[in-house]
Amino acid sequence: MTSASLAGGLHVRACWTAGSLHDWQLSLVRPPVTQALLGVAPEQALARVPLYFSLCGHAQREAGRLALLASGWATEEPPESWRLWAECLHEHLWRLLLDWPRHFGAAPQTAAFAAWRSVRGKGRSALTVATARVLDETLGGDGNGGLLAPGLSRLDADGASAVRRGLEARLAAFRAALESLALDDVYPHGSGGRPAVGYGEAWIHTARGALRHEVRMDGGRVAGWRVEAPTDRNFSSETGIVKLLPADLPTRAAAQEAVERAVLLLDPCVPYEVEIADA
Amino acid sequence: MCLAIPTRVVELLPDGQALVDLGGVRKTISLELVDDVLPGDYVIVHVGYALTRLDPEEAERTLALMKEAGIDVAGEAASA
């Protein structure tokens, strides 16, 4: 295994010929972090999980805790729900304030995002107010069209209706997460297991979809730990990308842009590259 | 599920940028999303942005755990 493959990331490649794409190659490589959880006590494993993930550390830890609980190895108390909503909102805002504006040729709203991030440690009420302000003043929540309005119009002009619907759904998901933060809703999750054999599995909501953890315990030690992130499902093949492409891809450049949009909408949680080649 | 690798800040650069080093790999990142970072601090980097500032002990502990897991932190730094 090379350093590049160990680094983790997503590479999407396809060939363009006469208006269509073929010979897809998707390569998704994960760092082998769960290896470091094998053989350790459950509380040690749980302490390590959030250290390994730069995004969704709270959700990763909670999914792991729920899976351990389902396996019969009761562990610590759950986190406060609002911290999980805050993490979910962070991931939505990264895309909505930085990546989508950049994709549409506008300046990323780094200062607004940094200002929002600085409020995360000040509690649920302060974060609710700060998030509502971002929605109203930047993302068009007060009916002023918002940062992404020109981009949404451009998607219409490009025939990218599926991506437009997806981006609108992302905005709606952001609004729903804000409402849940305001109401201090229970964070969505589920779990099941067979404690008699030390097996547990759990899922937890994230901005990208359900995050799943599966654990096997043996003699009080972790014998197996599997993580399935939304990125694993969304990029297991090109199917999800193809569903988001417009019918007409008249040039290689148009195809490149369309695939980049589709990948951005599917939102990989690792660095990625898109390469569209002439056949 | 991007790996959270503690990365040492070598030098502050103009316009909110910084030079970081991990296992001999050096690259320029943005510090626009975190405050009060100084040379010698450790940060978690994701797609070119510093996300979190870590205390050095926590950073060293995490790096040791990653090495124990067989993770090539220099390779990770090149792509973060």
Side-chain angles (χ1 to χ4, degrees):
Chain A
M1 189 178 282
T2 66
S3 288
S5 64
L6 274 168
L10 171 68
H11 190 98
V12 176
R13 188 179 192 282
C15 291
W16 175 86
T17 310
S20 65
L21 291 165
H22 54 93
D23 291 344
W24 288 89
Q25 294 174 30
L26 273 70
S27 169
L28 176 62
V29 179
R30 293 293 197 195
V33 291
T34 52
Q35 285 176 14
L37 306 177
L38 303 183
V40 305
E43 59 273 17
Q44 280 180 294
L46 209 54
R48 290 183 183 189
V49 166
L51 298 178
Y52 290 148
F53 300 106
S54 58
L55 304 175
C56 302
H58 285 299
Q60 295 279 1
R61 184 186 185 284
E62 180 59 359
R65 190 191 70 83
L66 289 164
L68 283 170
L69 196 62
S71 76
W73 290 87
T75 56
E76 302 159 36
E77 292 296 307
E80 297 165 290
S81 283
W82 77 267
R83 295 186 187 281
L84 292 158
W85 287 117
E87 189 173 78
C88 176
L89 287 163
H90 182 273
E91 294 311 296
H92 282 311
L93 285 175
W94 189 298
R95 288 307 195 212
L96 296 173
L97 294 179
L98 303 186
D99 293 334
W100 278 107
R102 190 182 285 121
H103 176 80
F104 290 135
Q109 301 297 299
T110 313
F113 188 41
W116 180 87
R117 282 169 49 90
S118 71
V119 180
R120 288 179 303 167
K122 296 181 179 173
R124 185 175 65 84
S125 296
L127 190 64
T128 301
V129 170
T131 310
R133 186 179 304 127
V134 171
L135 176 62
D136 286 344
E137 296 178 1
T138 308
L139 292 173
D142 59 359
N144 65 7
L147 173 70
L148 300 176
L152 289 167
S153 298
R154 195 173 130 199
L155 293 175
D156 284 338
D158 291 351
S161 55
V163 172
R164 180 188 172 114
R165 286 194 298 275
L167 183 50
E168 286 175 332
R170 189 77 192 248
L171 281 162
F174 167 70
R175 288 192 192 96
L178 168 57
E179 191 176 336
S180 291
L181 175 73
L183 297 172
D184 203 15
D185 284 343
V186 171
Y187 200 76
H189 67 274
S191 62
R194 297 190 297 278
V197 294
Y199 172 80
E201 60 185 6
W203 67 268
I204 192 163
H205 173 72
T206 75
R208 298 175 173 84
L211 167 69
R212 301 178 193 281
H213 280 223
E214 185 182 313
V215 301
R216 281 186 299 109
M217 299 294 296
D218 185 9
R221 299 276 163 176
V222 174
W225 196 303
R226 196 173 79 86
V227 175
E228 184 197 76
T231 298
D232 296 316
R233 294 187 297 277
N234 291 340
F235 297 97
S236 61
S237 75
E238 73 273 20
T239 305
I241 298 172
V242 171
K243 283 180 182 169
L244 293 168
L245 299 178
D248 187 25
L249 297 170
T251 64
R252 191 197 62 79
Q256 175 85 31
E257 183 172 40
V259 175
E260 285 176 359
R261 280 176 180 162
V263 171
L264 183 56
L265 188 66
L266 292 170
D267 195 4
C269 58
V270 292
Y272 65 90
E273 292 177 328
V274 172
E275 181 189 356
I276 305 300
D278 283 313
Chain B
M1 208 170 82
C2 196
L3 197 58
I5 303 172
T7 308
R8 188 171 57 86
V9 175
V10 175
E11 182 184 351
L12 301 184
L13 303 173
D15 301 322
Q17 308 285 299
L19 184 68
V20 295
D21 177 284
L22 183 56
V25 176
R26 292 193 170 202
K27 62 184 293 190
T28 300
I29 64 160
S30 169
L31 296 179
E32 291 173 282
L33 299 182
V34 290
D35 292 325
D36 306 324
V37 175
L38 297 171
D41 285 346
Y42 282 85
V43 292
I44 299 296
V45 180
H46 179 63
V47 291
Y49 286 94
L51 277 182
T52 316
R53 187 159 56 92
L54 300 177
D55 76 56
E57 278 185 21
E58 183 185 5
E60 295 293 353
R61 191 160 55 91
T62 303
L63 285 169
L65 284 171
M66 287 181 173
K67 282 178 188 165
E68 189 183 313
I71 296 166
D72 174 3
V73 293
E76 294 289 342
S79 72

